[in-house]
Amino acid sequence: MLATISGFSRLAILVSILLLTFLAGEHYAEAFSVQTTTAKVENTVNELLQQAPNYDPSPDDDFFRNFRTRVPPRIQYFLRASGVARFVVDTLTWVTAPPAILETQPTALTRFLHLSGLQGSLISKLVANRELESDMSQDLEPVIFQRLQYGNDRRQILDLIQCETEDHIDKNAVVSSKRLVLFVHGGAWGSGFPALYRIMASPFLKEKIDVAFLGYRTYPDGNVPDQADDIVESVWKLKQEGLIDSKTDITLMGHSSGSHIATMALLANPEFRQRIDSFVPMNGIYDVEKHYLHERTRGVERLSPMAAASVPSTKDSPYGQRSQSLREDWKSQSPTWLLRQPSKSTLMDSFPDTLIIHGQNDITVPMESSIRLWESLQSAANTQENSCRIDLEVLPEVDHVDVVTQIMFGGITRDTVLKWMLESESE
């Protein structure tokens, strides 16, 4: 999300961060600098820089590089760990993203209200464009919207949008989906919310595919293993509520950091892996070490939650206790590294057919990330007698955000994903 913020909004970020830091007090920053062992982080960075690839700095990131240089590291780490950075990014996203979308897509608000089950409501009458709503009436499929809480944290929510069928005797009827897309949003492990992506449901609903948008614990409330667990728990909640059954065909789909935690959920949980029929990760991060170096080039590595969120707590660590090396911690949360280990054959047991998507023009996450995942999955799948299908599509002239907006409003990403899904269904 940081890469898409306008110049004015970036100034607002700086002012908000400085104000909140002042209000929080210097002693909080002091306390956190001890907890994060800044020297350990910087030593790891220096070690990694010796093998760093050459990333060309983008002028779009000049703001963050200047911020990184001028603000003390302990303050930057505090902003990340305290949740201040999450608050600022989430707020600015809500303030800037909807107007930007409406400027180019005037029907977006009508579609959003319809998909939220609010068409014809008082809110709809107050804010929707009546003329557009009338013109679109034939284009809007009848839907049932419901929100589920699958955990105690307020972010552990699931927004389910189902095609209305004859089985829906009333709005409260429980109907099992025949086919479902479970979408995991991005947001750099530390921000984002499912409502922002709701319009993505439209093309799938036209194909009679229901869609669920996952909300999960973002950093600092949850790390990568927590977020992967949330994905798993959301599916068990759908099953518990009778909204999916053993016959439901489930496509797990993620974007950016959502692709990363979705991949980790599949690799970490064999039972969950067996329940997913297909997987579509888009513009994802799959090697924490390498992406950390890219974030450093951009100037965001101290604000981005990735490095901190990718350190598992003691109970999650594959080593039984937290490793003494940040690099080992990061490797344990890197799918491409895990898939190169001797246990890779067991990780591929029941792995779903996969379409890896990446935009060629993505400067937030270089396309090398997806290419390496494809290579790792292909290599691991070749060790299995009944290997799954692993496809890669690098989309020309598509950037980090385009993959989402093109599914919403049309484009090569939507065409590629739907074609692959429908072909997989017919096989």
Side-chain angles (χ1 to χ4, degrees):
M1 299 303 296
L2 294 174
T4 64
I5 297 174
S6 66
F8 174 79
S9 297
R10 292 179 185 191
L11 178 61
I13 290 177
L14 181 59
V15 173
S16 301
I17 284 174
L18 293 177
L19 176 62
L20 287 166
T21 302
F22 173 77
L23 294 174
E26 182 72 9
H27 62 286
Y28 285 114
E30 280 284 358
F32 184 67
S33 68
V34 175
Q35 295 173 9
T36 53
T37 57
T38 305
K40 181 179 178 181
V41 174
E42 299 304 325
N43 289 338
T44 301
V45 171
N46 292 331
E47 182 182 344
L48 287 172
L49 284 174
Q50 297 177 10
Q51 56 189 35
N54 294 320
Y55 292 122
D56 295 326
S58 168
D60 292 341
D61 293 320
D62 286 345
F63 167 85
F64 295 107
R65 282 190 288 270
N66 290 332
F67 183 87
R68 181 189 185 280
T69 303
R70 296 174 183 177
V71 177
R74 65 182 181 182
I75 300 296
Q76 296 180 55
Y77 291 133
F78 161 74
L79 294 171
R80 178 176 69 188
S82 64
V84 170
R86 176 176 67 181
F87 172 78
V88 172
V89 172
D90 278 351
T91 301
L92 286 173
T93 300
W94 267 123
V95 170
T96 60
I101 292 174
L102 286 170
E103 186 175 348
T104 57
Q105 302 291 338
T107 65
L109 179 57
T110 299
R111 290 187 182 278
F112 179 85
L113 293 171
H114 169 72
L115 294 168
S116 305
L118 295 173
Q119 191 176 25
S121 67
L122 177 61
I123 296 177
S124 178
K125 291 175 181 177
L126 288 173
V127 302
N129 185 316
R130 300 284 182 81
E131 186 176 341
L132 281 175
E133 197 171 45
S134 176
D135 292 342
M136 294 172 61
S137 60
Q138 300 298 319
D139 191 41
L140 299 175
E141 300 284 334
V143 300
I144 301 293
F145 172 86
Q146 55 185 306
R147 170 165 288 183
L148 305 173
Q149 188 84 31
Y150 65 88
N152 295 325
D153 191 276
R154 64 183 179 85
R155 292 177 179 268
Q156 291 175 302
I157 58 173
L158 198 62
D159 288 346
L160 175 64
I161 306 174
Q162 292 180 301
C163 304
E164 186 174 329
T165 68
E166 58 185 16
D167 294 328
H168 288 97
I169 302 171
D170 57 56
K171 297 290 183 181
N172 297 319
V174 176
V175 178
S176 233
S177 297
K178 292 182 174 59
R179 190 151 196 207
L180 178 75
V181 168
L182 175 61
F183 180 77
V184 185
H185 68 76
W189 300 268
S191 62
F193 23 78
L196 188 65
Y197 301 86
R198 195 167 295 167
I199 299 176
M200 287 180 66
S202 294
F204 300 108
L205 294 169
K206 288 182 181 299
E207 300 293 339
K208 306 302 179 186
I209 302 171
D210 298 338
V211 185
F213 295 94
L214 177 72
Y216 53 88
R217 291 169 290 175
T218 52
Y219 185 84
D221 296 326
N223 59 16
V224 169
D226 293 329
Q227 294 168 4
D229 286 345
D230 283 355
I231 297 174
V232 176
E233 288 303 316
S234 72
V235 172
W236 302 157
K237 178 65 174 179
L238 287 170
K239 182 179 179 181
Q240 178 185 340
E241 296 294 325
L243 294 164
I244 61 172
D245 57 30
S246 59
K247 296 181 181 178
T248 304
D249 187 293
I250 302 176
T251 296
L252 178 63
M253 184 178 296
H255 174 243
S256 192
S257 59
S259 294
H260 171 241
I261 62 174
T263 309
M264 289 302 299
L266 288 169
L267 294 176
N269 193 308
E271 185 180 359
F272 176 70
R273 202 158 58 229
Q274 292 173 359
R275 191 60 200 85
I276 301 300
D277 297 281
S278 56
F279 180 39
V280 183
M282 302 185 295
N283 290 47
I285 301 93
Y286 311 107
D287 188 317
V288 176
E289 277 191 357
K290 286 186 177 179
H291 194 68
Y292 186 88
L293 292 173
H294 180 63
E295 286 188 338
R296 192 175 191 278
T297 301
R298 297 181 60 218
V300 300
E301 86 282 5
R302 292 171 181 162
L303 289 174
S304 166
M306 182 192 70
S310 296
V311 176
S313 59
T314 301
K315 67 181 178 64
D316 300 311
S317 174
Y319 308 102
Q321 60 183 13
R322 181 174 163 180
S323 170
Q324 294 301 308
S325 164
L326 275 178
R327 294 189 66 180
E328 292 302 310
D329 286 333
W330 289 346
K331 285 176 181 178
S332 75
Q333 305 304 312
S334 298
T336 51
W337 185 85
L338 293 172
L339 288 165
R340 292 195 297 268
Q341 303 315 300
S343 61
K344 65 183 180 181
S345 60
T346 59
L347 295 177
M348 292 303 292
D349 285 342
S350 303
F351 203 89
D353 288 346
T354 299
L355 171 64
I356 304 168
I357 295 279
H358 211 105
Q360 191 171 26
N361 290 359
D362 190 349
I363 60 173
T364 303
V365 181
M367 65 179 180
E368 175 193 3
S369 175
S370 287
I371 294 172
R372 297 303 180 205
L373 177 67
W374 177 73
E375 290 176 341
S376 298
L377 285 172
Q378 285 278 20
S379 175
N382 287 338
T383 65
Q384 298 290 100
E385 292 183 6
N386 300 315
S387 60
C388 55
R389 174 181 174 183
I390 308 293
D391 295 325
L392 170 68
E393 289 285 351
V394 176
L395 306 180
E397 300 182 9
V398 173
D399 65 24
H400 194 69
V401 178
D402 288 342
V403 291
V404 170
T405 57
Q406 286 186 2
I407 291 180
M408 290 180 177
F409 305 112
I412 187 173
T413 308
R414 176 196 285 189
D415 297 340
T416 302
V417 170
L418 279 177
K419 180 182 178 183
W420 185 86
M421 287 178 62
L422 297 174
E423 284 179 352
S424 298
E425 182 181 27
S426 62
E427 288 180 357

